[in-house]
Amino acid sequence: YIDEMVLIVITTSLIFLTFLCITQALNVAVFGGSGFVGRRVCSTLVKTGCNVVSISRSGAPPSYYTNDEEWAKKVEWLKINDNEDKFELPSSIDAAVSCVGTVDPVDEWVQLFGLGFDNDKLRKENGDVNENFCKIAKEAGAKRFVFVSVSYEVAKALEGPIAGYLDGKRQAEHAAAELFGNENTVVVGPSLIYGGNRFPKLGKFYRSFVESAPAKAYVGGNDFLRSLSAAPLEDWVEKMLFSSPIDVDTVSRVISAGALDMIERDMVGTRKQEFYGTDGKPVFYDDVLYLDGAKEIERIDKLVQVVPSEERTTKVSKKTTPPNKNQPYAEGALIGKKPYLFPIPAIGVFLYIFWAVATEQFVQVQVVS
């Protein structure tokens, strides 16, 4: 009888301890938590019961982004300076997420087309900054790190033209892999992200277009013609332009799943490589848990179900909240992007010359009497 009682006590204790482990709220730090993706990651993590701390340049996002919703009141919003290397989190954490990244061009007109990038600045803002976040998270006790990068097609298309951007992304991934290990580092790689008040209808239309039969036939036909060449080449710019964009809520759920340790190796497989630096030498990425593109991210989203399906807002055209009158257009998507318009005049001139030549506008007819 005594032995049975002891067994019951031990069993009950084990069940209770297991219950505590399962129900204990995780502490998650979100770097860049006040941004377009970061706000939604914070919201998702709060809904799953996590204690969330956001670290960003602005601290708390403006109220017109959160609408004083309950989840925003549960997030601890912290502000960090650009050159702050000794930043310490107020408490220990279980996992960290970084949604920090930029591909803003320089403000000055550069050469003929006007559009240019400061590769050193891009390496710092995408690489050094995120590497510092990895160290801060590790010192605070984090066991997992989730990083937002880009899809394989986007990386291949930009590896030459915007080398600093990809060098920075690769540096951040390597820092996370070194500190947390490949199996505890999740890299989410979308192409273009839309949703919320950031071009929701345009994003859905563009996705419908690139996934349409004519678009697939066009890309497939070009691939076939290139395969007939003695030295077939891939048109990565074309592949990037015809890759599917993805809704921001889906991305935020999968990022949250990574922080919650719900993504494992057998879900994602081995990462593709075949990258080359500007010197022509091979460049290798760490074989972390990498989710490549919209289809892969959506597959993982359905697999892990971090948020019940009835609570999802993927159908942005029906669920979009009208923007606050003080909110920047498209949730600030166009801030700092004016230089992307610089090439338009030069392109217009070239198109006019091409049209003029094609229609023989420059041909003069001399009448001989």
Side-chain angles (χ1 to χ4, degrees):
Y1 176 76
I2 295 177
D3 292 340
E4 291 179 356
M5 290 295 296
V6 171
L7 182 61
I8 292 173
V9 171
I10 293 175
T11 303
T12 304
S13 300
L14 289 173
I15 293 174
F16 179 71
L17 290 173
T18 302
F19 176 77
L20 285 179
C21 292
I22 294 174
T23 58
Q24 185 178 15
L26 295 178
N27 300 319
V28 182
V30 181
F31 296 96
S34 62
F36 175 61
V37 176
R39 291 193 300 272
R40 290 163 172 87
V41 173
C42 290
S43 173
T44 302
L45 288 170
V46 167
K47 291 176 182 177
T48 63
C50 293
N51 299 316
V52 180
V53 55
S54 166
I55 307 96
S56 65
R57 294 172 180 173
S58 62
S63 59
Y64 51 69
Y65 280 136
T66 60
N67 296 318
D68 295 323
E69 293 181 19
E70 197 63 31
W71 69 264
K73 299 174 184 178
K74 297 180 180 180
V75 176
E76 184 177 2
W77 304 99
L78 301 180
K79 187 174 183 178
I80 186 172
N81 298 321
D82 289 343
N83 300 318
E84 194 166 351
D85 296 327
K86 301 298 182 181
F87 185 88
E88 293 184 6
L89 293 171
S91 59
S92 62
I93 59 175
D94 299 289
V97 171
S98 177
C99 302
V100 175
T102 178
V103 68
D104 288 347
V106 296
D107 295 328
E108 300 80 16
W109 187 281
V110 180
Q111 297 180 347
L112 177 62
F113 287 95
L115 182 63
F117 298 88
D118 185 339
N119 282 316
D120 291 334
K121 183 179 179 181
L122 290 176
R123 287 187 186 94
K124 178 181 178 181
E125 294 184 345
N126 293 283
D128 295 347
V129 170
N130 280 302
E131 183 175 355
N132 185 41
F133 291 158
C134 289
K135 295 175 181 178
I136 292 173
K138 188 65 176 179
E139 291 173 359
K143 302 176 182 64
R144 296 176 298 281
F145 196 89
V146 185
F147 181 58
V148 181
S149 186
V150 293
S151 68
Y152 183 77
E153 286 83 3
V154 173
K156 290 291 288 184
L158 301 182
E159 63 179 336
I162 315 179
Y165 174 67
L166 289 181
D167 287 347
K169 291 287 188 181
R170 185 164 52 248
Q171 174 187 343
E173 290 184 29
H174 181 67
E178 286 282 300
L179 291 172
F180 300 93
N182 287 347
E183 306 305 310
N184 293 310
T185 301
V186 178
V187 175
V188 180
S191 55
L192 180 68
I193 304 177
Y194 67 92
N197 290 313
R198 181 171 290 188
F199 313 119
K201 294 182 179 180
L202 178 61
K204 290 188 69 178
F205 171 79
Y206 185 63
R207 176 156 190 174
S208 298
F209 166 70
V210 300
E211 293 180 355
S212 66
K216 290 182 178 179
Y218 170 78
V219 175
N222 285 346
D223 287 342
F224 174 73
L225 292 176
R226 282 190 289 266
S227 69
L228 300 178
S229 171
L233 298 174
E234 296 279 4
D235 187 344
W236 290 109
V237 174
E238 178 186 271
K239 290 187 180 297
M240 176 182 70
L241 294 176
F242 282 87
S243 60
S244 299
I246 188 169
D247 179 69
V248 65
D249 290 326
T250 303
V251 175
S252 67
R253 290 195 297 266
V254 172
I255 292 171
S256 301
L260 296 171
D261 198 23
M262 299 174 70
I263 301 175
E264 299 176 352
R265 170 65 63 184
D266 58 359
M267 296 180 181
V268 298
T270 304
R271 186 173 192 174
K272 293 186 290 186
Q273 297 287 345
E274 299 182 7
F275 287 92
Y276 297 89
T278 53
D279 57 1
K281 296 181 179 179
V283 175
F284 296 97
Y285 282 77
D286 292 274
D287 190 20
V288 297
L289 305 183
Y290 176 62
L291 310 183
D292 180 20
K295 296 294 180 65
E296 179 76 354
I297 295 171
E298 288 173 343
R299 183 181 66 83
I300 296 297
D301 180 43
K302 293 178 181 178
L303 191 62
V304 296
Q305 292 282 318
V306 69
V307 174
S309 57
E310 62 270 13
E311 296 182 18
R312 300 183 178 204
T313 59
T314 301
K315 296 182 178 180
V316 292
S317 61
K318 296 181 179 179
K319 296 288 185 176
T320 299
T321 302
N324 185 292
K325 64 179 181 179
N326 297 318
Q327 185 182 123
Y329 177 72
E331 296 195 36
L334 303 183
I335 296 177
K337 303 299 189 297
K338 183 179 179 180
Y340 280 108
L341 301 176
F342 289 171
I344 292 179
I347 293 173
V349 171
F350 278 103
L351 289 176
Y352 173 74
I353 294 173
F354 175 81
W355 171 81
V357 171
T359 58
E360 299 182 348
Q361 298 295 310
F362 294 148
V363 176
Q364 292 184 354
V365 179
Q366 184 177 3
V367 179
V368 180
S369 57

